Structures are given as structure tokens and as C-alpha cells.
Amino acid sequence: MIESIESILRVGGIGTYLYIGCDDSSLVTGLLKRSIDAYGMDRRVEVVQEGLQQAPGRFFQGSLTNYPLNSSFFDTIIIGGELLEFKSTDMLSVLRAVRSITSKNLILYFPHNVLAKMSANSDVANRLFWEKMAIAAGFRRHPRSMLVTPYQELENEIGNQLICFECVPEAANQRFTLDWLQKTRDLHMDMLREAGRRSDGHVSRYVHAAAQIRPNDIVLDAACGMGYGTAVLAACSPGARFIGVDIDQDSIDYAQANYAVLNPQISYRACDVTQLNFLPDHSVDAVISFETIEHVPNYDIFLAEVKRVLKPDGRFIGSVPNLWCDETGKDPNPHHFHVFDWNKLQQAVEKYFIVDDRVAQIAGGGFKMREGRRIIQKINLSYSQPLETEWWLISACADPLNTATVTYTNPFASDQQLPDHVNFAKYYDNPWLYRVMVQLGERLVDRQVLTDYCVKIVHQARAGSADQGAALCVIGYQLLESGRLNFDEITGLINFINSFEQAADKDNPHVYRWLVSLHYLGGRLLLALGKREEALAAFLHCADMDVLRFSPLLATKTISAHMYAGLIYASANKLDEARQQFNKGVKAAHGVLQGDWKNIIGSLENPLPFGLQEAAQVLEMAGQCAQAAYALERQQTVPG
């Protein structure tokens, strides 16, 4: 039940909810506990009375055929078991009635006890039946629905517990009917208003891309068609602004009426993707372009235009059909100018960007691999054997080294003065490197590509700069996490770290940040080699460094250094020294979190979203030290 409630909220968000045929009070009361304005309706008096005992005023008697309210008061309607009381031939009219009483969402919820009663051969047990009925009734698939049921799990068409829909705006539904859509289906289609494998495949690509969009990103959906993908990107990511462009004016009109009207973050315009003249140079954080470059006579012109509009730390994500060709080697689709395999796609993109991720996708039921199962799977860039797939998805990053002179735009920019720990422009020679190299979840995806790029930065960056320190730290952690530690490699890295420290400008807080991190990392690497004395010296040196010269958040390194030093002492049966280190770890957290929080969250009125989460990590590590001190006395009798 808890999992179902969380899934429902992942789609519907805040607002007013009505659960029709509520069966019992648990789902409604579960929503109420999460601050949701929720109600239950059931035709059975005993169910309503039981619910009222749990939540007075939140349950009332009624049904779809005896609905006691007059307007669409509710943002989200949840319904399931009650639908099964109607014949499948009447379901279209029933769902149209549901459409009239909800302003936003419809969630079909079939608990396990309801699913158990369904015959596997019946229409109502099949997800496709409900999708087709709901789409015909004026709904579309919810743009966040694959966050509840991931793409590959849709392979099981039978017995879906949650099926989620969104209302099509009434004016758009009247103007752009399903019959109108069918006439353009071969070239343009709204895949949220179509059921089946092919639509699943198209929607899933946008969900995949949304996971790579960063907070506050400006996102361009190039060749957006009817705009559904732009809406999925906006619904499933933390981006700030989404622009869809397509050469077809009818598609843009459709997108405006169906999606832009509901979300002020989204806009659309008609233009050729090879001529994005309305966008200034380096003004976009991400360009998403699926099923595009095979449609463009000269895809180099398109990719060069993408490079022009992308910021120096921006990302390009695209897709192509894989070897969609007949026995003559030509693509039978008259709108396709090129046939791609992975090698051709990679060669085309890496002329302009750093290719760092490769994904194979299969939908089945189409021109190629008709019997294939839904799969979207990461493939290592180094994999060289032939692989049968329907589509290739590629992700690539702009190279900040080629555009270091572009004026930097900070992702945390605001009207307030930036605290030092996010003021990259002030303290880095090339601040565009930060997101590409350092920021977890945003940097280069492939481990080897990231390492190779950082090696390049180490050699090209100014000695002792924050840029060089960051690159050294990333290399070290990649080495530590690889599981393939090599004495010569670690020795070479430590020599580089020593050279960096000699050249470092210690008045630069970001340089100092990397010095702290590198001493901690050095201890970890030496410990992995069995160099315990040298590791202990590195941890003790790190633990004594003043993290407030950068930010209290850096205490995760110094407190952890106290922890490692304590463990080394404890294993040598030096319990007093171990206890001292563990206690110092607790005192370090106490000290750093008492001061000004500016370099934790910035402004209290407009706090940086990650600041308190990382401060919690400082306390968590101090808690580990406290637990270690507590356990120290019992270690001989209660190991571990």
C-alpha cells in the first residue's frame, strides 16, 4: 500500500484527490497523512461509515452512476475495482464520464486482490485495453507514467497495478481529434495519445534523457514533432525551461495547444533544426534530438548548429534507427536520408562533442526485430562485437577546452552574492570544467572517458590551479574505485599531487579544497596498497586542515580522515589513540556547524538545495565516529 501511495503521488503530485470505489480507508488516509487533500467515495454504506470513523468528513456515498457532485472539483481521480462492474463494451462511455469529473489526472489502481480476480484472457486485464479506452475518452498517457512503471516492466501487458493518464485540454481535444492525428501518423504522432510498443519506445527515450538534465537547465528539443517529448522532459526532470522546435507548423500548433498551454516552462516554435537563428551562441544547457539526423540531408550542418547553441558544459543526447535498411542497403522510409550503425553515429557526433554514453533500445512489433522485447540497455563504449538492436541512443558532452573564453553562467546564479564554495568563476581558470569533470550525476558518464579527459586537464591546466587539483582528485577516485590498483600508477599520481601542492595557491579556497581532498585520497590509496604508516600520516595531516577556509561541508573529508586514523590505531591495539581520533571526529562536526552557514546554504531565504543534505553527511560521519568510540571497548568480545 505504501509503495502504491508513493507511486500515485509521483504522478499526481499535490492537489485534490478522489478515490472512487475506495473499498477501504487505507489509501485515502495514507494520502491524508502525506498532506494531500484526499476523499473517498463508495456506494456501500458500511465502507463509507468505516472511512468516516478514520477520517471524518473525508468519505461520502456515491458511484459513477450516482455521482453526488456537479463539477470537476478534483485534480486527480483514482479508480479501479468499480470499473470492473461495467461491460468492456461500455467502458468508453464510462471513462468519458470520469473525464468530466477530473481536471488533471486519472489513475487506474488495481490492488493485488482485484488483479487476482481478473481472467488473464479478459480485456480488462490488459494494459493496452485501458490505454486505448482512456485515450479515446479524452485522456493521454501521463508524461510521468514511466517513473512509476519503467519501460522494460511494460513488457508484461497483463496485470498492471497502476496505469496513469492526464487530461487532454478540452479545446485541443476538440481541435486536434484522434482522427486528425491518424492522418499525420506516418511522419508525426503524439505518442502520449497512442498505445502500444512503438509509442512506449518513443516515450522511454525522453524519460532516459530527462534523467541527464540538470537543475535549472535550459533544454532544446530539436525536431520535437508534436511536442510530447518536450512535455515528458519537463515533467520528469529538474530543468528550468524547455524549447521545442520543428519544421512543421501544424505540429507546432498542436504542441502549443496540447502542452505549452499547461506549462509555462514549455514553449514551441517552427524552425529548421539546421538554422536555430533565434538562439544565441552558447545559450542552451542540453539539446535532445531523437530520430533527427537521419532526416537531415547534411547532418554535419545540424551537429555544428547544436555545438554553436550549447554551453561549453552542455550535453547532446540523440538517437537513430540501427541499420534500418532493406536488402539493397537503403532505408525504405522515404523521409530518411541516411542509414546508421553505431560506428557511423559515433564518428558523426565525436567530431563535435565528447561521446561518453551508448545505449541500445528495442521495442519490438515494428519494421525490425518484430518479436523483440522492450529493452533499453547501456552498452560499454569499448564493446566492439556486432549487436542487434533497433535504435542507438548516444550521449555526448561539449568540450570546455574549446570554448574557455565564453562568459561563464553559474547554475546556482541568483540575485544574491554567491558563497565561495559555488563561486566557480572566481576561483577556476576555466569554470566550465566543473560540471563536466566533478559534479556527480552531471559529469562525463563513461569512467574511461572521464579519466582520459582529466589526464588531459592535469597536463594542460596551470600548475597549482583549482582546475588541475580537481582533475587530479577525479583521477585518484577513479583509480581507487576501479578495483585495479597498481603501485606504479598510484606512485605516479602521488608524485603529481606533491607537485600540485608545491605550486598551489593556498589562498584560493577551491585550491585548498582540492588539497584537503587529495591528502584524504592519498591516505585511501596508500591504505589500499598496505602502506599503513604512510596512510596514517596522510589521514592525520588531512584531519588537521582547516576546512572553513572552503566550506563546513568539506568536513566530510577531515572527519572521515579521523575515522580512518582511528581504525588504523585500533587495529594496532592503540586504543587510547584510536579513541582520541574518533572523539576528534565528533568535535570537528560540532565546530564546523556552529559558524556562519553562508558557505553551507548561501542565503537562509533562498537556500542552495544541496547544502543541508551535505551538512547531514557531515553529521552522519561524526555519528560513525561516535559509534566507533562506543564500540571500541567491546571490540575484543563483540567484534565488528
Side-chain angles (χ1 to χ4, degrees), residues 314-575:
R315 181 165 288 281
F316 169 72
I317 304 172
S319 72
V320 294
N322 175 50
L323 292 175
W324 281 22
C325 54
D326 57 24
E327 62 277 3
T328 69
K330 295 183 178 180
D331 191 327
N333 188 323
H335 303 290
H336 291 181
F337 291 95
H338 311 280
V339 173
F340 283 93
D341 60 8
W342 171 254
N343 290 334
K344 183 176 179 180
L345 175 63
Q346 182 178 24
Q347 290 167 11
V349 174
E350 67 185 3
K351 287 173 60 178
Y352 302 92
F353 309 107
I354 305 168
V355 174
D356 68 333
D357 200 27
R358 174 189 186 188
V359 171
Q361 183 184 21
I362 298 170
F367 165 71
K368 186 177 181 180
M369 301 184 70
R370 179 170 291 276
E371 303 303 319
R373 297 172 62 84
R374 295 174 183 83
I375 293 173
I376 187 162
Q377 179 182 11
K378 182 180 176 68
I379 305 296
N380 197 292
L381 288 175
S382 63
Y383 186 81
S384 58
Q385 299 301 312
L387 184 70
E388 190 174 13
T389 186
E390 284 193 84
W391 292 278
W392 285 116
L393 280 66
I394 192 167
S395 183
C397 190
D399 188 349
L401 285 179
N402 298 331
T403 45
T405 59
V406 180
T407 301
Y408 181 66
T409 55
N410 194 299
F412 303 109
S414 65
D415 295 335
Q416 65 182 4
Q417 184 178 0
L418 286 169
D420 280 347
H421 68 298
V422 293
N423 196 344
F424 308 117
K426 184 176 180 180
Y427 297 112
Y428 283 78
D429 292 349
N430 183 353
W432 293 109
L433 288 170
Y434 192 84
R435 288 177 111 177
V436 174
M437 283 198 320
V438 178
Q439 187 63 47
L440 295 176
E442 300 181 6
R443 66 189 183 187
L444 291 165
V445 176
D446 184 85
R447 181 188 295 273
Q448 191 60 53
V449 171
L450 174 63
T451 300
D452 291 346
Y453 191 76
C454 288
V455 169
K456 182 192 298 186
I457 299 303
V458 165
H459 289 285
Q460 294 187 11
R462 180 172 57 87
S465 64
D467 310 49
Q468 188 183 55
L472 282 168
C473 202
V474 173
I475 292 169
Y477 273 106
Q478 296 303 304
L479 184 61
L480 183 66
E481 295 166 5
S482 69
R484 300 187 305 274
L485 295 178
N486 178 285
F487 178 79
D488 292 336
E489 288 181 346
I490 292 176
T491 301
L493 178 63
I494 290 175
N495 289 336
F496 245 119
I497 292 172
N498 291 335
S499 298
F500 168 74
E501 184 166 23
Q502 291 174 6
D505 174 11
K506 297 179 179 63
D507 292 329
N508 180 325
H510 281 262
V511 171
Y512 192 78
R513 173 228 178 135
W514 296 117
L515 284 172
V516 172
S517 296
L518 287 166
H519 278 287
Y520 172 75
L521 174 64
R524 296 280 306 275
L525 290 169
L526 288 165
L527 197 60
L529 289 177
K531 303 285 186 178
R532 297 174 64 79
E533 293 299 322
E534 294 94 327
L536 177 61
F539 287 131
L540 292 175
H541 183 88
C542 174
D544 287 339
M545 297 180 79
D546 181 11
V547 298
L548 294 181
R549 292 170 61 176
F550 175 72
S551 165
L553 302 178
L554 189 57
T556 54
K557 295 293 184 291
T558 54
I559 295 171
S560 189
H562 281 300
M563 182 72 176
Y564 273 107
L567 291 172
I568 293 172
Y569 279 130
S571 66
N573 203 31
K574 297 180 178 181
L575 301 189

Side-chain angles (χ1 to χ4, degrees), residues 140 181 188-194 226 228 254 259:
R140 60 188 173 215
L181 276 173
H188 295 289
M189 184 60 191
D190 181 350
M191 293 300 178
L192 293 178
R193 293 180 73 185
E194 179 161 302
M226 291 184 162
Y228 72 92
Y254 177 94
Y259 296 109

Side-chain angles (χ1 to χ4, degrees), residues 156-175:
N156 178 21
E157 306 282 9
I158 306 298
N160 286 264
Q161 188 174 20
L162 288 169
I163 311 174
C164 308
F165 302 97
E166 180 181 63
C167 295
V168 177
E170 189 57 38
N173 199 32
Q174 295 295 325
R175 180 181 174 188

Side-chain angles (χ1 to χ4, degrees), residues 278-328:
F278 74 98
L279 289 172
D281 294 354
H282 311 300
S283 60
V284 172
D285 295 284
V287 174
I288 314 300
S289 193
F290 293 135
E291 310 297 282
T292 303
I293 66 174
E294 71 272 19
H295 289 268
V296 179
N298 188 335
Y299 52 78
D300 272 308
I301 296 175
F302 166 61
L303 292 171
E305 188 70 343
V306 171
K307 180 179 179 180
R308 179 187 70 80
V309 302
L310 265 184
K311 292 179 182 178
D313 60 357
R315 181 165 288 281
F316 169 72
I317 304 172
S319 72
V320 294
N322 175 50
L323 292 175
W324 281 22
C325 54
D326 57 24
E327 62 277 3
T328 69

